[in-house]
Amino acid sequence: MAIELTLSIIKPDAVLKNHIGDILSRFERQGLRIVAAKLTRLSRWQVEKIYGIHEGRPFYQDLLQFMTSGPVMLVALEGENAVAKNREIIGNTDPRLASPGTIRADFGTAANRNAVHGSDSLESACYELGCLFEPGEIYS
């Protein structure tokens, strides 16, 4: 199995509700290693870089506003098949459809307030990590 790096973002709703520790511990308990983490507030430019693929969709402007509304926790995760493992841990985008015990099922309140972001492919992970972490900030 391949060792991969992926990105997860603990979104403003989960940060506001003090779920950072609970979420990080789930990644670790499921075999992913935290190799970088930082609490920050994303700029509109950063959010557009990460979510630009959704530009033009009805939810895009709300997404931009939400993701810049408060601090987020950026997390680089490493492990065997980390992209797929992270997606499994976080669950379906819509918390109502997410499997019990996933992060989104437990901490999300709606599809547009689902507690966490997770890269959906290895290519996306590399791109997103490069947008949000400086060289030397990831300790793989």
Side-chain angles (χ1 to χ4, degrees):
M1 299 208 149
I3 300 296
E4 299 172 346
L5 281 175
T6 193
L7 173 76
S8 197
I9 301 174
I10 302 175
K11 295 180 179 182
D13 55 338
V15 171
L16 183 64
K17 294 176 183 172
N18 294 316
H19 295 309
I20 294 171
D22 291 331
I23 292 170
L24 293 179
S25 69
R26 288 179 186 217
F27 294 139
E28 290 183 320
R29 283 196 314 263
Q30 294 293 320
L32 294 175
R33 224 174 114 233
I34 297 166
V35 293
K38 61 182 172 181
L39 186 66
T40 190
R41 191 163 186 157
L42 296 176
S43 70
R44 184 177 176 94
W45 178 83
Q46 289 172 306
V47 177
E48 288 172 344
K49 296 275 289 180
I50 300 302
Y51 292 106
I53 192 168
H54 299 301
E55 188 173 8
R57 293 188 176 170
F59 61 85
Y60 184 67
Q61 290 304 317
D62 178 62
L63 178 63
L64 292 178
Q65 187 281 325
F66 171 61
M67 290 300 294
T68 59
S69 69
V72 299
M73 176 64 80
L74 306 176
V75 185
L77 301 165
E78 180 181 70
E80 289 185 10
N81 297 312
V83 173
K85 177 68 109 177
N86 183 38
R87 299 292 295 179
E88 178 185 323
I89 295 166
I90 66 176
N92 189 292
T93 302
D94 186 339
R96 296 171 300 167
L97 304 175
S99 298
T102 62
I103 291 170
R104 288 175 171 162
D106 292 346
F107 302 116
T109 57
N112 64 346
R113 300 293 183 270
N114 61 12
V116 289
H117 164 87
S119 299
D120 63 4
S121 68
L122 193 53
E123 295 76 23
S124 292
C126 291
Y127 172 75
E128 293 170 355
L129 287 164
C131 289
L132 299 173
F133 286 95
E134 296 294 323
E137 287 184 320
I138 298 174
Y139 297 94
S140 178

